[in-house]
Every structure is written in structure tokens, then in C-alpha cells.
Amino acid sequence: MGATYDLFKNPPRPGSEESGKYHARIIPSGTRKSKEIMEEAAERCGLAPGVLSGALDEITRVLAFYLSYGYVVELEGIGTFSVSLKCRPVDDGERIHAQSVHFDDVHLRTDKVLKSRIRRQIQLARNPGKQGVQLTAAQREQRLREYLTTNRFVSRRQYMALAACTRGQALDDLNRYREAGWLVREGCGSNILYFPA
């Protein structure tokens, strides 16, 4: 069994009457947590899951330490991590002070080894549930309900792939489900997740 994909229509460009073109996108199969990854890795390499979990925890601490001091960190076979910053927009660079500049995010540029392994292993199959047709509101809701029977939560990006919809439609749907009382939102910023109520 491989990864499932489907075709999603790009929204037309502003001012254009042409219909948007289609692009392929993976349909999320679910989420694998650290515990599951550690257990499987332990079976492959012979180390105890607890040892691997402790090692990952320490690597995360060291990674955070070096990133917080402005280093770019390369984990061979995985990728290169770097920090991005944010500040309020101004016309004069002299008007920006240290207290106005804040941590924004961590970026990962994946290593060619990881990309190569995925490229060799990935087997793609078209999603049988839809043939490039836009889903109705009822179909989108049904897909999410089915997804949440085997997954604890859904992110906005996961929902976009699952429901074959745009970002705006996804936010509208998720807010509607919250108002209906069967979905709750937790987190903030880019870390928002939606859980069954």
C-alpha cells in the first residue's frame, strides 16, 4: 500500500476568467507519533525504544540551544534547520530596535539523502473516492468525520488535502464545525489543531 493523492483545482488568478489548473497533492494517511516511530526504529536497529526516545530528546535540546544562538544546524540525512525572525514593518531601518525583533519560526531544508529515500520508496495511487470533482459541504464534513474516527486531531492543512478545498474554504468549514459544537480548536498561530468535541 502506498500514498494516496488527488488532483486539486487552483483558484483562478484575480481578474482572470480562466479556470484554475489542477495540481497533485498527497491525501494524509494519518499521523505517526514519536512513540510509534521509536518502537519501529528500535525493531530495525536493536536499541531499546527508551534509549532512542532519550537520544531524540537530547538532540532536540541541543538543536534548540544552537538555533537560539544563531547557528544553522545540519543533521545529515534529515536536513538543515535555521531560525527566521519577524518585526513590525517600517520605512526606516534605524527605527527598529532589538525589543521589536522576535523569533518567528524554524525552517527545515530537507537533506538530499531523505529526499532520495522517499523518492525510491514512494508508491502513489489516485484517491478512489473522487475524480477531481469539487466536494459538496456534506461530503467534506463526512470525510472529516471518517478521518477523526482513526486520528485524534486534524490541522488546517490536513483538512485542505482531505476535503480537496482551498485555505479559505477550509477555515470556513472548520469554524462552522466549531460553531455546530462537534469540533474544538486548540493552540495558536501555526500550531492550531482541531479535535472532536
Side-chain angles (χ1 to χ4, degrees), residues 119-183:
R119 193 174 289 114
R120 285 196 311 266
Q121 295 176 25
I122 195 165
Q123 296 178 357
L124 295 168
R126 179 78 183 265
N127 177 20
K130 181 175 77 70
Q131 299 299 317
V133 178
Q134 191 169 13
L135 299 177
T136 65
Q139 290 171 323
R140 295 194 302 271
E141 180 175 338
Q142 181 61 30
R143 280 199 175 189
L144 179 58
R145 287 185 183 273
E146 289 174 2
Y147 179 82
L148 291 174
T149 61
T150 55
N151 296 274
R152 287 185 54 239
F153 59 82
V154 67
S155 69
R156 190 252 311 153
R157 284 183 181 272
Q158 288 169 328
Y159 181 77
M160 285 172 62
L162 193 68
C165 65
T166 63
R167 181 180 184 276
Q169 183 66 69
L171 292 173
D172 287 346
D173 285 355
L174 292 166
N175 286 331
R176 189 172 68 254
Y177 303 150
R178 287 175 57 221
E179 290 169 7
W182 66 271
L183 210 61

